[in-house]
Amino acid sequence: MNDKDDMLRELYQEVIFDHNRSPRNYRPMTGANRHADGHNPLCGDQLTVYLQVSDGIVHDASFVGHGCAISTASASLMTEAIKGRPLAEVEALFRDFHALLTAARDEPGPQRDFGKLAALAGVREFPARVKCATLAWHTLHNALTGEASTAHTE
Amino acid sequence: MNMHTLQSAPATRPALLQRAADFPILSRPVHGKRLAYLDNGATTQKPDAVIEAERDFYRHSNANIHRGVHWLSQHATELYDTARTSVQGLLNAASADEIVFTRGTTEAINLVAQSWGRPRLTVGDEILVTHMEHHSNIVPWQLLCEQTGAVLKVVPVEINGELDMLAFDGLLGERTRLVAITHVSNALGTVLPVAELTAKAHAAGAVVLVDGAQAVAHTTVDVQAIGCDFYAFSGHKLYGPTGIGALYGRRALLDAMPPWQGGGDMIRTVAFEHTTFAPSPQRFEAGTPNIAGAVGLGAAIEYVRGIGLERIAAHEHALLEQATAALADIRGLRLVGTAANKAGILSFLVDGIHPHDLGTILDSEGVAIRAGHHCAMPLMTRLGIPGTARASFALYNSPADIDALVAAIHKAQRMFGTRGA
Ligand SMILES: Cc1ncc(COP(=O)(O)O)c(C=O)c1O
């Protein structure tokens, strides 16, 4: 047992395994009016995020693709977290979540209740894996801002 | 370090080397664990002999080369030339003038593309590569094709990682000007029959470049026996420094090639009306080169030749066999690349665990491997996988490293709940 093992347990929490094994909202969406592709060429992670947005609300969110446990779980948790939320809140969540993962060790990080998403905070200790956790979110951001190009985290 | 296997090994086993003590970095723990460095395909660690040679150069011999009448400059020039002779010896080139120092394999291949290829190739000419090339033996040819109108043709790879030899014969044609093939696949470990492929290519009138990045540290290379026209490698994969490597080119070809970069050291005379160029290899070494790097590379070559490349190959082969057997025993593990003739590289996939996750968990046990596409995206696409986990061996690895690898894979399976244990 060492520090690294503790960090590893922080990274691979049961929530992560659960969402990796059975990702939520894992389906293409026929009625989507926003979607974007994300790609991390370094590890081959690839996903598509679908959204159904109207009246400033994300009514439905889903994704398909393949990737490591961190990126799959992050995408799954993300779809759960944003469903039914106003666009402004989703954008704020994107910013705060990004800050949570990239904050320096001695910084407090954003003050908010991340709910289940907090399970991904352990990624902070694994700089090489931050991109796995943020891929779905960058793709979401592109889908919302209508940037047609593929989101890259490399 | 666990070396008990040496004593208990059956007599038929090739003797394992015990040279880890030559490599200072191997004694540093990682995450509080003994380091099992199995990412040698990416870069190898450096022995004291190489570290000391670079340090000595800066402490006792540093000056610019080819430029000074003063003693130090002549001394540095001699050391640089001696390193070139070491490379010549390593590859068994006919002459040291056939050795051009480069930054590494990538630069060597680009040199051939731009200096040999660009003036010669035209619309409809063909360049033949294999489906298992590293990006650095693909992209320079794609650029050349854009520049000249030549066409890139790809020899398919069998699902076990062997080259489709019949397809090679079929693709080799009248328009084939260049065949660019890897000696050893960095992603799968496949050893290509480069001498046979070279003979066929020559019979068809094509020039042959062999990418030796994954070969030189692991097997004896004889460019004259292979018969190839160009051979490229990187020093850092041969226990040498980064930023230095070499291109072997047959004399007649190099002499006929124009410079590809201009500057000092590569000229004979410069006038604004007309500049004449130095003969090869200086013609291709514009500007102050990586002198200390070359000296370090020379030391690395003398180090491996001192041990003997046959012994290193036997050692790594023994490790490969042990590791192949040990990994094959792991439930849910699939080896990727099972060619009959392989170097010490093991690519694999574990059911339910993405290579990237595997890499992170192995790292927590001090086991350093590579996870990803290994700069061979076309090959991964062909095999229908996003990437693999890869363990690659070097002369300092031991059965203890394989034990650590196996134990760490078991740990990952326990964590992911993909195994009963
Ligand atoms: C087969 C092969 N070719 C070419 C290269 C490129 O070598 P370098 O990056 O040292 O130029 C590598 C190294 O990754 C390799 O494995």
Side-chain angles (χ1 to χ4, degrees):
Chain A
M1 240 11 72
N2 58 15
D3 283 1
K4 198 67 188 177
D5 274 329
D6 293 339
M7 288 180 200
L8 206 59
R9 264 194 304 277
E10 277 288 303
L11 179 66
Y12 291 108
Q13 299 184 24
E14 195 42 47
V15 189
I16 304 291
F17 286 131
D18 175 24
H19 280 256
N20 179 47
R21 239 176 275 127
S22 19
R24 318 296 196 270
N25 302 305
Y26 188 85
R27 56 186 154 83
M29 194 192 295
T30 35
N33 55 5
R34 308 277 175 89
H35 69 95
D37 296 325
H39 188 204
N40 181 346
L42 190 68
C43 34
D45 290 359
Q46 207 148 17
L47 58 76
T48 306
V49 169
Y50 300 93
L51 304 171
Q52 212 275 308
V53 182
S54 57
D55 305 325
I57 308 255
V58 177
H59 292 289
D60 198 6
S62 73
F63 80 105
V64 293
H66 55 79
C68 64
I70 305 300
S71 84
T72 304
S74 180
S76 172
L77 288 162
M78 177 187 83
T79 57
E80 278 194 328
I82 63 173
K83 257 207 238 184
R85 292 251 210 142
L87 282 177
E89 272 183 37
V90 170
E91 276 295 332
L93 185 60
F94 165 71
R95 274 196 308 277
D96 287 350
F97 180 71
H98 200 266
L100 173 71
L101 299 196
T102 52
R105 224 176 262 197
D106 44 3
E107 282 174 24
Q111 296 305 308
R112 77 137 78 202
D113 180 7
F114 282 97
K116 278 198 216 166
L117 288 175
L120 286 157
V123 172
R124 252 157 71 144
E125 304 294 341
F126 295 81
R129 306 301 302 278
V130 168
K131 283 165 176 164
C132 307
T134 55
L135 177 63
W137 293 81
H138 284 290
T139 311
L140 166 73
H141 184 72
N142 279 7
L144 287 177
T145 53
E147 281 172 33
S149 66
T150 303
H152 286 279
T153 52
E154 260 319 305
Chain B
M1 185 139 299
N2 184 352
M3 284 289 177
H4 60 85
T5 332
L6 188 64
Q7 281 79 38
S8 58
T12 48
R13 274 251 176 89
L16 288 169
L17 298 167
Q18 300 195 52
R19 302 300 291 251
D22 297 347
F23 295 79
I25 202 171
L26 295 178
S27 60
R28 70 149 295 170
V30 168
H31 309 312
K33 304 282 168 74
R34 190 185 74 86
L35 169 63
Y37 185 79
L38 296 170
D39 192 18
N40 297 288
T43 198
T44 53
Q45 300 303 346
K46 321 304 172 199
D48 269 323
V50 168
I51 299 167
E52 287 305 317
E54 272 212 74
R55 187 181 134 96
D56 270 10
F57 176 80
Y58 284 123
R59 288 175 71 95
H60 302 298
S61 313
N62 180 55
N64 210 329
I65 54 167
H66 302 311
R67 301 190 179 178
V69 291
H70 60 83
W71 181 83
L72 260 187
S73 171
Q74 286 164 26
H75 179 51
T77 305
E78 268 165 32
L79 291 176
Y80 188 69
D81 291 343
T82 302
R84 199 190 300 279
T85 310
S86 291
V87 177
Q88 177 204 350
L90 178 79
L91 302 180
N92 192 34
S95 150
D97 293 340
E98 298 183 315
I99 306 301
V100 179
F101 280 121
T102 65
R103 282 196 293 127
T105 310
T106 304
E107 190 176 63
I109 295 174
N110 279 278
L111 191 166
V112 174
Q114 293 305 310
S115 175
W116 179 86
R118 196 165 182 181
R120 278 173 186 73
L121 300 198
T122 109
V123 178
D125 281 346
E126 292 173 6
I127 299 168
L128 200 54
V129 298
T130 81
H131 214 132
M132 66 179 111
E133 298 308 318
H134 188 278
H135 295 162
S136 68
N137 200 23
I138 297 175
V139 182
W141 309 121
Q142 289 178 321
L143 295 173
L144 179 61
C145 286
E146 267 172 36
Q147 290 158 347
T148 61
V151 183
L152 194 63
K153 298 270 176 168
V154 185
V155 186
V157 172
E158 312 275 8
I159 203 77
N160 70 352
E162 287 181 3
L163 193 68
D164 183 339
M165 295 296 280
L166 278 179
F168 177 83
D169 294 345
L171 282 164
L172 199 58
E174 269 192 359
R175 296 302 309 259
T176 313
R177 299 292 306 277
L178 178 83
V179 173
I181 45 176
T182 194
H183 194 165
V184 172
S185 155
N186 67 311
L188 305 177
T190 311
V191 180
L192 291 195
V194 282
E196 182 186 346
L197 296 170
T198 298
K200 287 179 171 176
H202 280 171
V207 160
V208 176
L209 174 139
V210 177
D211 171 352
Q214 295 294 339
V216 283
H218 311 288
T219 177
T220 321
V221 172
D222 181 336
V223 290
Q224 297 189 70
I226 295 169
C228 58
D229 303 286
F230 298 107
Y231 195 97
F233 77 92
S234 304
H236 71 93
K237 296 184 200 277
L238 176 66
Y239 311 104
T242 52
I244 187 78
L247 171 71
Y248 157 81
R250 257 195 318 115
R251 186 67 182 265
L253 283 153
L254 287 181
D255 281 346
M257 284 157 55
W260 79 305
Q261 289 176 345
D265 280 338
M266 51 75 71
I267 46 84
R268 199 192 307 273
T269 61
V270 175
F272 283 112
E273 298 73 32
H274 184 63
T275 288
T276 57
F277 303 117
S280 70
Q282 281 76 28
R283 183 189 306 171
F284 304 106
E285 294 178 4
T288 302
N290 182 357
I291 308 168
V295 170
L297 174 57
I301 292 172
E302 294 318 316
Y303 175 78
V304 292
R305 294 181 84 196
I307 296 171
L309 274 151
E310 274 97 5
R311 288 178 66 205
I312 293 171
H315 168 85
E316 291 175 6
H317 200 78
L319 292 179
L320 176 69
E321 284 194 345
Q322 272 184 45
T324 304
L327 262 54
D329 267 353
I330 298 178
R331 213 178 330 138
L333 187 145
R334 173 160 74 91
L335 294 173
V336 181
T338 50
N341 192 3
K342 275 188 68 171
I345 291 173
L346 264 183
S347 252
F348 57 94
L349 291 167
V350 179
D351 280 352
I353 311 180
H354 190 279
H356 224 144
D357 295 311
L358 197 60
T360 296
I361 297 168
L362 265 52
D363 176 62
S364 73
E365 291 297 308
V367 178
I369 59 149
R370 173 98 180 254
H373 54 60
H374 316 299
C375 297
M377 289 173 87
L379 177 63
M380 296 301 136
T381 306
R382 154 76 181 99
L383 298 174
I385 52 181
T388 70
R390 180 190 73 180
S392 47
F393 303 113
L395 68 87
Y396 40 69
N397 288 124
S398 71
D401 296 328
I402 299 171
D403 294 345
L405 171 67
V406 170
I409 295 172
H410 283 150
K411 173 181 178 178
Q413 289 185 315
R414 272 195 308 278
M415 283 184 67
F416 271 68
T418 53
R419 185 170 172 270

